[in-house]
Amino acid sequence: MSLRQTLATLPRDARDTLFLLFVIAWVIAPQASNLPGWAAAMAGGMLLWRGWMALKSRPLPGRWLLTALVVVAVAGTLMTHRTILGRDAGVTLMVMMLALKTLELRARRDAMVVFFLGFFTMLSNFFFSQSLLTAAAMLVALLGLLMALVNAHMPVGRPPLAQTFRIAGTMALLGAPIMVALFMLFPRMSPLWGMPGENLTGHSGLSGTMKIGEMAEIALDERIAIRLRFEGADTDVPPQSALYFRGPVMAAFDGREWKAEPFREDSAWAARVAVPANLQVSGPAVRYEVTLEPQRQPWLMVLEATPEAPQLSNMQAYMTQDLQWMTTRPITDVLRYKAVSYPEFRHGPQESIQQLRVYTELPPGFNPRTLELAAQMRADPALATASTEVLVNAVLQRLRTGGYNYSLEPGVFGEHTADEFWFDRKEGFCEHIASAFVVLMRALDVPSRIVTGYQGGERNPVDGYWTVRNADAHAWAEVWMEGRGWVRVDPTGAVSPGRVGAFQRLRPPQGAFANAMGTLSPGMIQNLRAVWEAVNNGWSQWVLNYSQSRQFDLLKALGFESPSWQDLTTVLGILIMAAALGGGAWTLWERSQHDPWLRLLARTRQRLERAGLPLPDTMPPRAMAQRVSAQFGAPAQGVADWLLRLEQLRYAPHPATELHKLRREFSSLPWPQA
């Protein structure tokens, strides 16, 4: 017997229970990665157990067993989260209570509790992800829960699921306009609007430190970090080699790790904050709009260099002495902002000052061979009194001609990271190359530092947006030159010019399926990915990033000169009133479309039922008249005669006038009393 035949032969209660359990499993499934392992396993086990009981018509567990399971669920939540409050603990407990409630699904009241717990659990999925896939999955879950709710209100017979699907779909479609109106016009008053993030650990490819060897792992992360839309023509877009998005700037080195903060406090480090930015821009400006994914960090990603603060809503930004733009709080939601950058710029002191000495410091006891190399270069008559620019070119030439390679897997470096790169391995990822370069430049007494961020990007041909991924995280160097200030030097470009100029990224090995698809259709995967990312970008731009400023833009388009949240409330109230009036008018129209003769007959049946004479819906007026005469006798003869006239009217040539007359007589008839 096939599964379809098996389901068709199941009792109505078993079929509806199995359908509800499937919907609940669909609701809970996206939470599996967010729940503790024991909670996901326990919830899945209880749903399977309840399904087995429905299939085999077994009795539900007793109260003592249910109580024990509740105690286990609460105790497990407390042991895992140390609380039953908060997002993570609350979701865990909610999922456990939903699964447990299915084990006492006996009456309609229990089903109602399960339905509404299911709705709350469905919404909790958006605490962790607001992606398009999550929204689509929850839309399916919403239809499933509505179908189960409709089933519960159709207790008679065996209505097919196709019928309940049509009813649930109609309900969802009728509610869609109100949902859209609420989404577009309900005032977003920060900080009341939005979901607070509890985990403030970094989700992007960047962090506040750079440990040698760890940045290569970011190349495995293909998630999107930044989306850009440039204003103007395509000819106004800078080349890929000029797309440097500035992130944390690091100057403190302990031999293994670079940090933006000092490892010790002394007068030199304290004076570091006094180094002025002295940003000077020139050339044409580049105007663009950024959509930044949540990175749980306070830095904004903008192109070098941006003299004015990006245009943010509900958030303030400031620029550090290192030209890094920061926000006053971590970015926990998709953030969109506009910025103006100038690829041609200068910054930093133009003349040597005491504070620059901090950028020549190296930890003692590390990289002795690199220090010896610097001494040998200084001993060269051609470099003894050379300028910083000449020294930089000499080091870059060594990288170009010394057999150095750009590698995603250079191996684990030991204690002397720069020595191993320059003399032993001669290969590395961008952080190996940049760190070894800065160590050598500092050994040459040249002020240098590390800059991390993103470099490059690729244009999506579907929607025209530029995409920057976590895999595009990059590290480069800045050296100080007399009369020019801080100057960007990307030593990775000397080892692998394609990494900077031609967007030739190192990619992890592909799986067998991806390799097969790439062999059969080299461009198909790229095209499908471009389409999918364009769809996701549209979701991000028009749904996730629909902010208060965009609400005000909508009101301006409707004619409001200076819109406010009170105007939003007014427009929303008008729409809700219009929807209510429209719904009332539609209800009256629908009622008027019903057969007035049948409505009058139904009123008669209700009146007789109150008198103690229940009659089936299928009984015609003549049979009803006979039953009235038999039960109530002569006092109710007027009602019996009226019923006979009502039946004759069904076939009368001009029923409208006569029906109106019978409707007036209805209230004056000698109705029997119970």
Side-chain angles (χ1 to χ4, degrees):
M1 184 179 294
S2 65
L3 177 61
R4 184 174 182 179
Q5 292 174 334
T6 302
L7 294 176
T9 58
L10 285 176
R12 165 74 187 279
D13 289 344
R15 187 204 69 171
D16 290 352
T17 300
L18 289 174
F19 177 77
L20 178 59
L21 292 174
F22 176 79
V23 173
I24 293 173
W26 182 273
V27 170
I28 294 176
Q31 299 280 26
S33 60
N34 306 315
L35 295 172
W38 66 265
M42 186 174 175
M46 286 188 291
L47 293 180
L48 290 174
W49 185 25
R50 184 63 179 89
W52 176 81
M53 286 187 287
L55 278 173
K56 301 297 183 179
S57 300
R58 297 299 177 90
L60 297 180
R63 187 170 301 276
W64 286 108
L65 180 56
L66 290 176
T67 303
L69 290 174
V70 170
V71 171
V72 170
V74 175
T77 303
L78 283 172
M79 291 179 63
T80 304
H81 301 288
R82 305 299 179 185
T83 180
I84 58 174
L85 304 177
R87 183 194 66 181
D88 294 342
V91 169
T92 300
L93 202 56
M94 182 186 299
V95 169
M96 299 309 301
M97 293 302 107
L98 175 59
L100 281 166
K101 189 63 182 175
T102 63
L103 296 178
E104 58 173 5
L105 194 58
R106 293 182 173 87
R108 186 177 178 184
R109 181 189 64 181
D110 300 320
M112 295 298 118
V113 174
V114 170
F115 295 148
F116 290 106
L117 272 176
F119 285 121
F120 277 110
T121 306
M122 179 188 73
L123 290 176
S124 70
N125 281 278
F126 293 105
F127 291 163
F128 304 96
S129 173
Q130 298 89 46
S131 68
L132 182 59
L133 281 177
T134 300
M138 292 306 102
L139 179 60
V140 174
L142 173 64
L143 288 174
L145 287 171
L146 287 176
M147 288 177 63
L149 191 60
V150 170
N151 266 332
H153 286 82
M154 300 173 68
V156 179
R158 189 185 176 90
L161 292 179
Q163 179 184 356
T164 56
F165 174 76
R166 287 194 297 270
I167 297 174
T170 302
M171 292 169 60
L173 288 176
L174 290 176
I178 300 226
M179 177 194 69
V180 172
L182 288 171
F183 172 78
M184 298 185 69
L185 296 172
F186 192 88
R188 284 159 166 77
M189 295 176 288
S190 180
L192 297 179
W193 183 270
M195 292 179 295
E198 295 187 353
N199 184 8
L200 297 182
T201 57
H203 281 202
S204 74
L206 300 179
S207 66
T209 62
M210 189 187 81
K211 191 171 184 179
I212 307 301
E214 289 187 352
M215 202 173 201
E217 299 176 2
I218 303 171
L220 305 176
D221 189 354
E222 289 289 326
R223 289 179 299 175
I224 294 176
I226 308 168
R227 290 185 176 93
L228 292 97
R229 185 180 63 184
F230 290 97
E231 297 182 6
D234 290 342
T235 55
D236 299 331
V237 178
Q240 289 176 327
S241 58
L243 298 180
Y244 281 84
F245 299 86
R246 194 179 187 90
V249 180
M250 303 176 188
F253 185 52
D254 67 349
R256 183 71 180 178
E257 186 176 22
W258 289 90
K259 286 187 177 182
E261 297 295 331
F263 286 90
R264 65 185 191 281
E265 295 197 9
D266 54 29
S267 58
W269 278 112
R272 174 175 176 267
V273 295
V275 177
N278 287 341
L279 176 60
Q280 303 173 29
V281 297
S282 60
V286 178
R287 303 177 184 275
Y288 54 96
E289 185 179 66
V290 178
T291 302
L292 183 65
E293 293 296 317
Q295 56 183 359
R296 314 291 185 182
Q297 299 288 358
W299 43 70
L300 293 173
M301 289 293 121
V302 291
L303 288 170
E304 293 184 324
T306 305
E308 298 180 358
Q311 300 177 19
L312 299 171
S313 59
N314 303 322
M315 191 178 294
Q316 295 181 346
Y318 62 94
M319 186 176 69
T320 67
Q321 300 290 339
D322 301 324
L323 300 191
Q324 183 186 2
W325 281 99
M326 310 277 287
T327 58
T328 53
R329 63 178 185 269
I331 299 171
T332 57
D333 297 300
V334 175
L335 180 64
R336 189 169 67 173
Y337 50 91
K338 293 183 177 181
V340 180
S341 300
Y342 295 81
E344 300 177 16
F345 64 96
R346 287 187 176 185
H347 74 290
Q350 303 298 302
E351 298 179 356
S352 180
I353 57 177
Q354 179 63 31
Q355 290 89 337
L356 289 173
R357 300 306 304 169
V358 77
Y359 296 100
T360 62
E361 293 184 357
L362 289 171
F366 287 91
N367 303 301
R369 287 183 289 173
T370 303
L371 299 180
E372 183 179 351
L373 173 61
Q376 293 174 1
M377 293 179 65
R378 280 299 190 184
D380 186 343
L383 300 176
T385 59
S387 65
T388 299
E389 185 174 2
V390 173
L391 292 172
V392 168
N393 289 332
V395 176
L396 293 179
Q397 183 63 20
R398 183 183 182 90
L399 287 171
R400 294 188 189 99
T401 61
Y404 296 94
N405 297 312
Y406 181 53
S407 173
L408 187 63
E409 298 178 349
V412 179
F413 279 51
E415 181 180 7
H416 305 292
T417 56
D419 283 357
E420 290 192 37
F421 174 79
W422 286 117
F423 302 103
D424 300 328
R425 300 176 185 269
K426 291 193 174 184
E427 65 177 7
F429 199 56
C430 59
E431 84 268 28
H432 301 92
I433 303 172
S435 177
F437 176 84
V438 171
V439 170
L440 181 54
M441 295 308 301
R442 288 190 175 191
L444 290 168
D445 204 33
V446 175
S448 311
R449 61 190 184 186
I450 296 284
V451 184
T452 60
Y454 297 94
Q455 196 284 317
E458 55 185 341
R459 184 179 182 274
N460 189 319
V462 178
D463 59 4
Y465 276 77
W466 283 71
T467 300
V468 180
R469 305 179 187 279
N470 285 334
D472 300 324
H474 193 50
W476 60 94
E478 281 186 338
V479 298
W480 184 84
M481 297 184 182
E482 185 80 25
R484 297 177 60 184
W486 291 107
V487 178
R488 181 204 304 147
V489 179
D490 194 343
T492 303
V495 177
S496 176
R499 166 59 180 88
V500 177
F503 200 63
Q504 296 174 359
R505 302 293 188 261
L506 293 176
R507 299 302 184 197
Q510 300 294 319
F513 178 77
N515 287 329
M517 293 297 295
T519 302
L520 294 175
S521 180
M524 186 175 69
I525 294 180
Q526 288 81 0
N527 293 336
L528 290 176
R529 181 163 122 171
V531 171
W532 174 245
E533 289 181 350
V535 172
N536 267 296
N537 184 41
W539 170 261
S540 177
Q541 297 292 333
W542 295 103
V543 178
L544 299 185
N545 204 41
Y546 187 75
S547 59
Q548 187 182 73
S549 61
R550 300 192 69 179
Q551 287 182 314
F552 290 165
D553 291 340
L554 175 62
L555 290 186
K556 288 179 181 179
L558 294 176
F560 290 83
E561 294 183 1
S562 300
S564 63
W565 69 267
Q566 291 91 342
D567 297 325
L568 285 171
T569 305
T570 301
V571 174
L572 182 61
I574 292 174
L575 286 178
I576 291 176
M577 289 180 60
L581 291 174
W586 178 80
T587 301
L588 292 175
W589 174 84
E590 184 186 36
R591 292 178 64 181
S592 68
Q593 300 306 304
H594 291 167
D595 191 333
W597 186 88
L598 290 176
R599 292 207 308 271
L600 185 57
L601 183 62
R603 289 179 60 192
T604 305
R605 191 179 298 109
Q606 294 172 359
R607 190 67 176 263
L608 291 173
E609 185 175 359
R610 291 200 299 268
L613 180 61
L615 300 171
D617 295 343
T618 56
M619 182 174 287
R622 180 175 295 275
M624 292 172 61
Q626 293 174 356
R627 293 285 300 276
V628 168
S629 298
Q631 181 157 340
F632 300 107
Q637 189 59 41
V639 175
D641 294 340
W642 183 87
L643 283 167
L644 293 175
R645 290 166 54 200
L646 182 64
E647 182 174 273
Q648 294 173 359
L649 185 63
R650 190 63 169 171
Y651 309 101
H654 301 289
T657 304
E658 294 298 326
L659 182 64
H660 183 64
K661 180 179 179 181
L662 289 176
R663 190 183 295 115
R664 288 201 312 268
E665 294 177 5
F666 181 85
S667 57
S668 59
L669 288 173
W671 295 101
Q673 302 297 321

